[in-house]
Amino acid sequence: MTDIDIPAVVAITGASSGIGEATARHLAARGARVVIGARRTDRLEMLADELRADGAEVATAVLDVSRRADLDRLVQTAVDRFGRLDVLVSNAGVSALGPMADGDVDGWSAMIDVNLRGVLNGIAAAMPVFRSQGNGHFVTTVSTAGLKIVPEMAVYAATKNAVRTVMEALRQESTDGVIRTTSVSPGFVRTELSDSIADPDTRAWARSKMDAIGLDPDAVARAIAFAIEQPRDVEIGEIVIRPTVQD
Ligand SMILES: NC(=O)c1ccc[n+]([C@@H]2O[C@H](COP(=O)([O-])OP(=O)(O)OC[C@H]3O[C@@H](n4cnc5c(N)ncnc54)[C@H](OP(=O)(O)O)[C@@H]3O)[C@@H](O)[C@H]2O)c1
């Protein structure tokens, strides 16, 4: 990885499936040491075993991003195992889509807790390490749902745009060259994200869109790698990556 102490240490939340898993695979194959975090231990351990069999250095951290202490533990795992943390990919997310009229307060709360609070918890946990090392990169997975506002994605898009706002302010507060920020906005990607939609019709619609036009998650992983691998004086602030046929 250009200009980063090789091999870089990258912690990834939501690494048990989809974009996070693909990112762990892609970065590990490129020589990064990875710390993979999520709630499903079995999926994390299977992925870790597979990556280690291919020669990668991998640590796991079972975590719920809505808990501040779990993010502290993720960062500490990187420092204990690999001596540093270069990049935090805050990718864990849920999408409790549905019309506002449904009043799905539990779903809205879950999205705020995971999609927004989870990213904030990561920033709070990694910032002291990044500052004491003199470098660090916050990468987060937001969404095109925040760029083209559509029905049934109101609160999901709101949480993603809140994160986008936080990342831009963080960028402006961090022009001393120590911290880089990148927000990656994917369109439809073929993952398990539709499983977190309670309403059966909306879930079936999202699943069919993902299956029909969704990107392979590796496409997003490659975009994340592109941002990470830039020289330290280059900050890729935003990446939008859609299926070519997405409207
Ligand atoms: N797929 C798309 O079309 C799409 C488009 C735009 C943006 N995104 C964003 O991309 C990110 C990754 O989603 P994906 O599409 O790859 O879906 P996914 O396959 O469902 O992956 C979501 C990941 O988040 C983890 N997660 C959920 N809640 C968590 C919690 N409380 N604590 C820790 N980890 C948690 C899940 O692991 P556990 O269940 O094991 O905890 C899983 O690893 C999300 O932020 C999503 O909003 C996806």
Side-chain angles (χ1 to χ4, degrees), residues 14-20 38-40 63-65 91-94 114 141-143 156 160 186-189 191-193 210:
S16 58
S17 62
I19 293 167
R39 293 166 304 177
R40 287 172 292 178
L63 59 86
D64 181 333
V65 293
N91 164 76
V94 289
V114 178
T141 319
V142 286
S143 174
Y156 178 70
K160 295 301 188 179
F188 283 104
V189 185
T191 69
E192 299 172 17
L193 193 66
M210 282 179 181

Side-chain angles (χ1 to χ4, degrees), residues 59-60 70-71 95 101 108 110 125 131 144 146 154 173 177 186 190 212 216 218-219 223 246:
T60 58
D70 288 12
L71 269 299
S95 67
W108 300 342
R131 287 246 149 243
T144 57
E173 291 173 11
R190 276 191 316 277
D216 187 293
D218 187 60
Q246 181 173 328

Side-chain angles (χ1 to χ4, degrees), residues 80-191:
D80 290 346
R81 282 289 301 279
F82 303 125
R84 57 188 298 110
L85 176 66
D86 296 294
V87 185
L88 174 62
V89 181
S90 288
N91 164 76
V94 289
S95 67
L97 306 185
M100 295 302 293
D102 280 0
D104 179 17
V105 176
D106 290 345
W108 300 342
S109 298
M111 290 189 286
I112 292 166
D113 282 346
V114 178
N115 302 358
L116 174 56
R117 200 185 310 282
V119 175
L120 297 175
N121 285 339
I123 291 170
M127 186 68 85
V129 173
F130 286 175
R131 287 246 149 243
S132 73
Q133 285 173 179
N135 83 284
H137 192 164
F138 290 107
V139 178
T140 187
T141 319
V142 286
S143 174
T144 57
L147 300 174
K148 180 182 176 189
I149 304 302
V150 294
E152 306 214 7
M153 295 199 190
V155 179
Y156 178 70
T159 60
K160 295 301 188 179
N161 279 350
V163 169
R164 198 188 311 276
T165 301
V166 165
M167 295 290 273
E168 172 59 12
L170 176 56
R171 182 192 73 75
Q172 293 183 28
E173 291 173 11
S174 316
T175 51
D176 60 357
V178 173
I179 303 292
R180 296 191 296 173
T181 64
T182 303
S183 297
V184 180
S185 296
F188 283 104
V189 185
R190 276 191 316 277
T191 69

